[in-house]
């Protein structure tokens, strides 16, 4: 008998790490999934002050400190006009834990979970850990999530579907009519919609909308400070949902985390309630880089939908291109790391300096010539 659970044997370490390791230390890294900005000063100070005044020495409430949850309520009101109660939130160890407790609380053994393919790597793995059956569905040609594909995939065993806008690995933003369709599907089929909105503030064109605006009872919103405030290392995210769902997710959170890290909670409270200009500046910078990358890739001759958010772009690339880039010292992630429908694509992150982006584009042009 194996010492290990079938559930853990069914998942593996993310392929993205392997790419980093293959490339060496002086490579230009376009594989990174985090902003290249410092955490805003006011967020850092929020944590420092809480440490100095002894507020972080004990467990906090399982759901998180009241001030943070009020800050999250205000954020949802500001960005989406949503009206959560602080009781309808749990502060988590990043968006990752938020996804984990959402799936643990809603998925029975053998239940199906639908998610975009290519999509964020955790959807498949966390579904399997919860004992569920992954049902990956392909994207449209423009790399947006197709509500019709989700609806077609629904069976009587479907527990949930995951949507993610702006998307990783695509940068694609779901238009409002699609977001409304996600909400309608959740209501009509009585299935849960898990809406992963960790890139919701990083948007250049279009607008960020949430299925929670149209189907609040059927939606669990997953969000985090990680990308918005360049706080990936702090590990602070949250779920927002109806009290009934929150109570079930709290049962899991209580035993796996007790509470999110207290210093991170105070930093997040300060980030969410303090000046938001730093976020706007970061988004402006990402937009300029997005334009450089899309123009550069188009000049190389790649077919590339213009991403409207996040900091990723996902061109179709010729066979052998990813390896050729890595050999020449530019890290890009093969599309298949995000699901089988990602094959033939590569994910490039532009969370790096403009100078490095220009350098990487020159090298990618050579790599493309070498494999054509
Ligand atoms: N959801 C998506 C789409 C992501 O890309 C990531 C991180 O890359 C996460 C969730 C997890 O974020 P966190 O670092 O807050 O756990």
């Amino acid at each position: 008998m194996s010492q290990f659970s079938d559930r853990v044997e069914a998942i593996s370490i993310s392929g993205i790490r392997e790419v980093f390791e293959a490339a060496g230390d002086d490579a230009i890294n376009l594989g990174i999934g985090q902003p290249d900005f410092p955490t805003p000063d006011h967020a850092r100070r929020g944590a420092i002050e809480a440490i100095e005044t002894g507020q972080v020495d004990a467990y906090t409430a399982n759901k998180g400190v009241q001030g943070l949850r009020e800050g999250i309520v205000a954020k949802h009101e500001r960005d989406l006009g949503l009206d959560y109660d602080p009781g309808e939130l749990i502060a988590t160890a990043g968006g990752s834990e938020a996804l984990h407790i959402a799936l643990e609380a809603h998925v029975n053994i053998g239940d199906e979970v639908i998610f975009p393919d290519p999509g964020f790597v955790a959807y498949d793995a966390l579904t399997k850990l919860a004992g569920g059956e992954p049902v990956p569905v392909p994207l449209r040609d423009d790399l947006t999530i197709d509500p019709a594909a989700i609806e077609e995939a629904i069976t009587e065993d479907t527990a949930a579907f995951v949507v993610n806008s702006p998307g990783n690995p695509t940068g694609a933003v779901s238009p409002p009519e699609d977001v409304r369709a996600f909400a309608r599907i959740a209501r009509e089929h009585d299935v849960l919609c898990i809406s992963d909105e960790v890139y919701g503030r990083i948007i250049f064109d279009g607008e960020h909308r949430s299925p929670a605006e149209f189907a609040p009872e059927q939606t669990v919103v997953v969000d985090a400070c990680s990308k918005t405030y360049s706080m990936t290392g702090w590990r602070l995210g949250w779920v927002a949902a109806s009290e009934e769902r929150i109570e079930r997710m709290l049962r899991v959170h209580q035993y796996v985390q007790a509470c999110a890290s207290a210093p991170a909670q105070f930093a997040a409270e300060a980030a969410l309630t303090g000046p938001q200009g730093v976020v706007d500046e970061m988004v402006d910078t990402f937009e300029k880089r997005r334009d450089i990358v899309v123009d550069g890739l188009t000049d190389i001759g790649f077919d590339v939908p213009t991403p409207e958010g996040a900091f990723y772009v996902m061109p179709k690339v010729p066979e052998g291109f990813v390896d050729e880039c890595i050999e020449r010292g530019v890290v890009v992630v093969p599309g298949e790391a995000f699901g089988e429908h990602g094959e033939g694509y590569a994910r490039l992150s532009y969370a790096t300096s403009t100078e490095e982006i220009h350098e990487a584009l020159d090298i990618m042009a050579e790599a493309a010539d070498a494999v054509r």
Side-chain angles (χ1 to χ4, degrees):
M1 203 180 85
S2 162
Q3 299 177 53
F4 302 110
S5 71
D6 293 343
R7 297 184 313 286
V8 84
E9 292 293 27
I11 66 174
S12 47
I13 302 291
S14 160
I16 301 177
R17 280 269 142 236
E18 287 162 25
V19 178
F20 288 0
E21 277 154 24
D25 290 344
D26 49 0
I28 300 176
N29 196 339
L30 303 189
I32 293 184
Q34 61 186 346
D36 55 320
F37 297 90
T39 296
D41 232 30
H42 65 273
R44 290 178 174 174
R45 278 201 306 273
I48 292 166
E49 208 173 286
I51 292 167
E52 286 179 347
T53 52
Q55 295 180 78
V56 305
D57 301 348
Y59 295 122
T60 70
N62 295 126
K63 285 184 180 177
V65 295
Q66 184 71 14
L68 167 60
R69 284 184 289 129
E70 281 169 8
I72 297 171
V73 168
K75 176 232 154 52
H76 283 290
E77 164 75 51
R78 186 165 69 222
D79 292 355
L80 290 162
L82 288 170
D83 179 26
Y84 285 107
D85 182 271
E88 295 173 316
L89 303 164
I90 304 171
T92 58
S96 301
E97 193 223 338
L99 287 167
H100 180 56
I101 65 174
L103 288 162
E104 284 293 330
H106 292 90
V107 176
N108 269 315
I109 307 290
D111 279 357
E112 293 170 358
V113 178
I114 300 165
F115 52 79
D117 175 356
F120 178 49
V121 289
Y123 306 146
D124 179 79
L126 294 176
T127 296
K128 289 174 178 159
L129 283 180
E133 292 291 329
V135 181
V137 294
L139 305 174
R140 294 189 181 112
D141 287 346
D142 67 0
L143 302 181
T144 56
I145 298 170
D146 184 2
I150 289 177
E151 194 159 23
E152 251 165 58
I154 289 181
T155 70
E156 58 185 24
D157 294 325
T158 305
F161 65 90
V162 185
V163 292
N164 172 217
S165 173
N168 176 11
T170 61
V173 172
S174 295
E177 61 272 21
D178 288 352
V179 177
R180 278 177 196 274
F182 300 144
R184 178 193 57 74
I185 292 166
R187 274 198 320 268
E188 281 181 14
H189 297 271
D190 196 23
V191 295
L192 174 67
C193 172
I194 299 175
S195 181
D196 180 342
E197 303 182 14
V198 300
Y199 298 101
R201 277 289 275 112
I202 307 177
I203 197 152
F204 321 126
D205 316 305
E207 57 178 327
H208 176 58
R209 303 297 295 268
S210 172
E213 295 172 60
F214 313 108
E217 293 299 319
Q218 277 87 7
T219 305
V220 172
V221 172
V222 166
D223 205 338
C225 287
S226 306
K227 317 285 175 172
T228 311
Y229 299 104
S230 201
M231 288 178 66
T232 51
W234 293 82
R235 312 307 305 132
L236 200 290
W238 63 89
V239 282
S242 69
E243 282 212 35
E244 192 184 15
R245 295 190 193 280
I246 286 290
E247 198 273 334
R248 298 312 191 283
M249 291 187 278
L250 190 61
R251 295 183 196 181
V252 187
H253 173 75
Q254 179 189 348
Y255 292 113
V256 298
Q257 289 288 341
C259 64
S261 151
Q265 290 189 50
F266 286 100
E269 178 182 339
L272 287 159
T273 56
Q276 301 298 305
V278 278
V279 180
D280 299 328
E281 279 167 32
M282 181 182 77
V283 173
D284 284 347
T285 305
F286 279 141
E287 184 174 358
K288 290 194 185 95
R289 294 179 190 169
R290 187 266 321 250
D291 293 342
I292 295 169
V293 173
V294 170
D295 288 350
L297 293 173
T298 308
D299 287 347
I300 295 174
F302 287 165
D303 176 12
V304 50
T306 301
E308 299 188 327
F311 36 77
Y312 307 112
V313 54
M314 202 173 202
K316 259 191 196 141
V317 295
E319 211 181 319
F321 174 76
V322 170
D323 289 342
E324 199 64 43
C325 284
I326 292 169
E327 249 168 57
R328 289 165 190 263
V330 173
V331 178
V332 302
V333 183
E336 58 266 31
F338 303 96
E340 66 172 295
H341 294 287
E343 204 182 325
Y345 291 87
R347 186 193 77 175
L348 281 56
S349 154
Y350 43 89
T352 186
S353 70
T354 311
E355 198 181 29
E356 283 208 326
I357 290 169
H358 281 297
E359 214 179 308
L361 283 166
D362 290 343
I363 296 171
M364 285 191 283
E366 290 165 20
D369 282 343
V371 294
R372 275 190 187 125

